[in-house]
Amino acid sequence: MGDRAVSQRVSTDVPAGAAPGSRSWAVDVSAYASGDAKLIQAETAGCAPTVVPGESYDVSVDYTSTTDRNALTVFAHTARGWQYLTDLKTLPTSSEWTTATARIEKIPEGVDRISFGVSLAGNGQLRTTNYSLRPVEQEPPPVAGAPELVGRWDVLETELPIRAIHTTLLHDGRLLLIAGSGNDGNLFAAGTFRAVVWDPVTNDFTEIPVPYDMFCAGHVTLPDGKVLLAGGTAAFPEEDQGPNTFKGSDQSYYFDPADDSFHRTADMTGAHWYPSLTKLGNGDVWAAGGLDEKAEGTVLTELFDTSTMSWLPQNAVPQTWSFWGTYPHMFLLDDGTMFYTGAHTFGNGLPGTGASLYDWTTARIWDVPGLREKDLRDQAGSVFIGPAQDQRIMIVGGGNTDGNIPATNLVDIIDLNEPTPAYEPGPTLPGPGKAYVNLVNLPDRTVLAANGAQYNRTGDVFSAALYDPEANSWSSIDPDPVGRNYHSSSILLPDGRVAVFGSNPADNSFDFRISVYSPPYLFQGERPQLTRAPERAGYGDVVELGVSGEVVSASLMAPMSATHQTDTNARLVDLPIAGEGAARTAQIPDNPNLLPPGPYMLTVLDADGVPSEAKWVWIS
Ligand SMILES: [Cu+2]
């Protein structure tokens, strides 16, 4: 519209560094009297990008113009058709290619597509190219920092003496922190492998001699409180190999907190770099996944016989002959089968739906439907939500190391008590998408989701949130002031705090700072106390507890053993209680698949949702 002469054409004059074959559009206006000419996307479904009402977008376009009568203009499509939305800014004369950027704040309701570009309302020549539209990442709303609402993060003055990549809470309250070579090829070549035991109460570190490169092993706490380690690194990638083509080790050791040393067991049947270890109801350990001695995916399933402290021969283990990936997130269910959540470290393009049920006794596998974005679940988080009796598992976020695609903030939840379980969409994690999310069951039955990054070992995402399984909702909390991505882990401490370790970004540096998160329940007045509990209890036992405070429930929590943000053996098991006042009884569940044998942290919870400090109870 308007009164002017317009001619336009395609031009090969494009900005320096533009992709080969790029073109620009040029428009010439002369004899201008009124109206304008626009270089915008064609207002058709294929051309004009789709948008989401309420979201904000950053737009950019490269332009040159012989006049200053230019504006960055947006048109919007609704059910009623296309109409002018706004001019974001005017653009100055520019003889050189210049990138014009602006933000479209909050797309109005009803708008499903937009078209944007540069309009020219005067005599002159305008050229444009390189149109881009990017959603603005929604940082979670700032949180008013009352610790009784959002908790508190402290970064300790003490720093780690080693790259703590494998972290385990021991039954004496100390932590076993293992680096092995710590992802440092020079230390690997020198045969320098390290581990320490850290006492968070006295702040002492004890150096532990490490017999082989436990970097990239799997680990789990055995029924007697020893820590079983299996697999690890036999060789770093050679120069002509990809970055994650490490050769696996078949070695296996256990750490004994009684003598602070590693002891060798018989080797595994095959080599595993990034295996997952899942403890079974009888106290034995299932292991699978990872790369073998040739840095290829291993299909071997392994079983550790705890009574003889040895790995069984291949023919004594039901074999699926399928590759579970690297560090597959495999959870033991209450009927003795397992659930593969769809989360893993590295690797994508998974077959089927991406998640499955698995009967390890028959080696049968069933696809489970409903997981969204199955190829964006590299280094997602997986966790039981609520008491393990609910058999509900949540998968949170995840990325794609292969494509370096921005991570997702999608959350899916599955109820494995259903006869035909399927993932259902859960509430989206507040803040930008992230992989490397650290998920921790807290004794008040909420779940902490902290740390992470949007891209492969870069783009730290600082948002953090607590998930309430009863409300099925997230509430944002203050973030860890330390950005943490690859090779970070979080461990619940017996006093109810969470210790967070590590981060190994793309430059292969390592963050030696330790963060400690004190959840809101530590600032909500007096805590209930567990004054008396048995040291040991058997399946189905009724045990006596001494408590103070208005106690409403009790639970047993498995001490965490985590690497790569994950502990597939973590769980909180509800302990039904009876009685009144200071003397209570608690019923130990009779199903060992729900509560595999071993040391547990027993806590009681009061009516305000404040947990006691834990006491250790051995379940056998
Ligand atoms: Cu790793």
Side-chain angles (χ1 to χ4, degrees):
M1 286 176 286
D3 182 8
R4 71 270 188 257
V6 178
S7 73
Q8 60 174 314
R9 65 184 187 282
V10 178
S11 162
T12 54
D13 185 341
V14 293
S22 296
R23 297 283 184 275
S24 63
W25 280 94
V27 62
D28 291 281
V29 172
S30 55
Y32 181 85
S34 67
D36 63 10
K38 300 173 200 75
L39 288 174
I40 63 176
Q41 293 98 349
E43 290 173 344
T44 58
C47 244
T50 57
V51 291
V52 178
E55 300 273 295
S56 299
Y57 294 84
D58 284 330
V59 299
S60 77
V61 54
D62 292 349
Y63 81 101
T64 70
S65 181
T66 58
T67 162
D68 62 359
R69 310 263 307 157
N70 317 291
L72 195 46
T73 298
V74 184
F75 285 73
H77 182 264
T78 65
R80 296 197 306 278
W82 285 97
Q83 62 185 51
Y84 167 81
L85 181 65
T86 184
D87 278 358
L88 296 167
K89 60 173 9 174
T90 59
L91 301 177
T93 306
S94 177
S95 58
E96 302 287 318
W97 282 106
T98 302
T99 303
T101 59
R103 179 163 293 183
I104 307 170
E105 294 284 2
K106 288 203 187 343
I107 297 289
E109 275 311 311
V111 173
D112 59 357
R113 293 199 303 275
I114 61 165
S115 169
F116 68 94
V118 185
S119 61
L120 173 58
N123 290 325
Q125 186 193 61
L126 167 72
R127 294 181 302 178
T128 62
T129 189
N130 278 348
Y131 288 72
S132 117
L133 175 79
R134 220 159 31 84
V136 175
E137 275 139 26
Q138 301 292 313
E139 286 294 334
V143 174
E148 62 269 33
L149 297 175
V150 299
R152 192 184 74 210
W153 289 88
D154 296 294
V155 179
L156 303 187
E157 276 179 30
T158 308
E159 294 202 345
L160 291 167
I162 61 166
R163 295 182 165 200
I165 289 172
H166 305 275
T167 59
T168 301
L169 176 66
L170 303 171
H171 63 79
D172 54 18
R174 300 180 303 157
L175 286 97
L176 173 63
L177 310 176
I178 300 173
S181 66
N183 201 20
D184 182 329
N186 295 324
L187 292 181
F188 179 81
T192 305
F193 311 134
R194 294 186 66 190
V196 295
V197 168
W198 176 49
D199 186 333
V201 178
T202 63
N203 214 12
D204 289 333
F205 290 95
T206 306
E207 186 87 25
I208 310 293
V210 176
Y212 81 108
D213 194 2
M214 295 174 176
F215 169 56
C216 306
H219 34 94
V220 65
T221 299
L222 293 172
D224 62 0
K226 293 170 181 145
V227 182
L228 178 68
L229 288 122
T233 300
F236 272 57
E238 283 153 33
E239 260 174 40
D240 56 346
Q241 292 178 314
N244 297 317
T245 51
F246 288 73
K247 290 179 178 134
S249 166
D250 59 3
Q251 294 194 50
S252 178
Y253 279 75
Y254 64 86
F255 177 80
D256 189 349
D259 64 9
D260 277 358
S261 57
F262 289 104
H263 303 263
R264 191 161 189 174
T265 75
D267 293 343
M268 301 177 94
T269 302
H272 299 260
W273 182 85
Y274 278 33
S276 289
L277 270 57
T278 300
K279 186 159 63 169
L280 303 173
N282 65 359
D284 290 350
V285 175
W286 172 97
L291 304 184
D292 65 14
E293 68 285 355
K294 296 183 197 141
E296 290 165 2
T298 178
V299 296
L300 280 180
T301 304
E302 312 253 6
L303 274 179
F304 183 77
D305 179 349
T306 299
S307 65
T308 60
M309 294 295 276
S310 65
W311 292 92
L312 297 183
Q314 179 187 310
N315 61 9
V317 182
Q319 294 293 335
T320 63
W321 303 115
S322 59
F323 178 45
W324 282 110
T326 34
Y327 283 140
H329 291 197
M330 193 70 85
F331 285 74
L332 179 68
L333 302 182
D334 61 5
D335 64 357
T337 63
M338 294 194 201
F339 178 59
Y340 170 57
T341 70
H344 47 88
T345 298
F346 307 138
N348 281 293
L350 301 176
T353 60
S356 45
L357 283 161
Y358 161 49
D359 182 346
W360 67 271
T361 64
T362 60
R364 283 191 62 194
I365 301 169
W366 300 264
D367 259 12
V368 166
L371 178 64
R372 296 175 294 172
E373 296 283 12
K374 69 170 178 170
D375 289 327
L376 270 179
R377 299 303 192 166
D378 177 353
Q379 292 163 94
S382 311
V383 69
F384 272 118
I385 53 174
Q389 282 93 337
D390 291 353
Q391 296 284 287
R392 293 201 304 148
I393 286 178
M394 176 166 79
I395 184 168
V396 179
N400 182 313
T401 303
D402 299 339
N404 208 17
I405 301 165
T408 182
N409 56 8
L410 289 180
V411 172
D412 289 327
I413 294 172
I414 189 165
D415 180 346
L416 292 147
N417 277 335
E418 292 284 327
T420 52
Y423 268 118
E424 301 283 347
T428 300
L429 187 67
K434 55 178 159 177
Y436 314 102
V437 54
N438 276 291
L439 297 178
V440 181
N441 288 111
L442 299 178
D444 67 350
R445 308 188 177 200
T446 62
V447 176
L448 170 67
N451 307 103
Q454 200 169 17
Y455 293 97
N456 183 12
R457 302 173 74 178
T458 189
D460 288 342
V461 173
F462 285 83
S463 54
L466 294 171
Y467 174 76
D468 178 345
E470 279 190 18
N472 188 29
S473 65
W474 295 97
S475 55
S476 291
I477 56 167
D478 280 347
D480 185 343
V482 180
R484 299 182 188 273
N485 52 62
Y486 189 49
H487 290 154
S488 63
S489 61
S490 296
I491 299 285
L492 176 70
L493 302 176
D495 64 7
R497 298 178 302 158
V498 177
V500 189
F501 306 95
S503 185
N504 190 191
D507 63 3
N508 208 25
S509 61
F510 197 88
D511 202 306
F512 292 98
R513 288 173 288 178
I514 303 169
S515 297
V516 173
Y517 179 60
S518 300
Y521 51 66
L522 294 177
F523 305 96
Q524 291 170 352
E526 208 173 324
R527 300 176 72 178
Q529 285 181 3
L530 183 58
T531 52
R532 187 162 47 86
E535 259 180 45
R536 298 183 171 274
Y539 294 103
D541 284 358
V542 173
V543 299
E544 292 180 0
L545 305 180
V547 303
S548 75
E550 205 186 318
V551 167
V552 296
S553 66
S555 60
L556 292 168
M557 299 184 76
M560 292 182 72
S561 186
T563 190
H564 296 71
Q565 298 80 39
T566 304
D567 175 8
T568 57
N569 295 289
R571 53 183 59 208
L572 179 152
V573 178
D574 180 58
L575 214 49
I577 55 170
E580 296 282 327
R584 304 292 182 95
T585 59
Q587 169 91 45
I588 308 294
D590 56 10
N591 179 359
N593 293 318
L594 192 61
L595 187 70
Y600 282 85
M601 295 188 286
L602 172 56
T603 59
V604 292
L605 197 62
D606 75 11
D608 297 325
V610 177
S612 68
E613 291 199 20
K615 278 196 187 304
W616 291 93
V617 179
W618 294 83
I619 301 296
S620 60

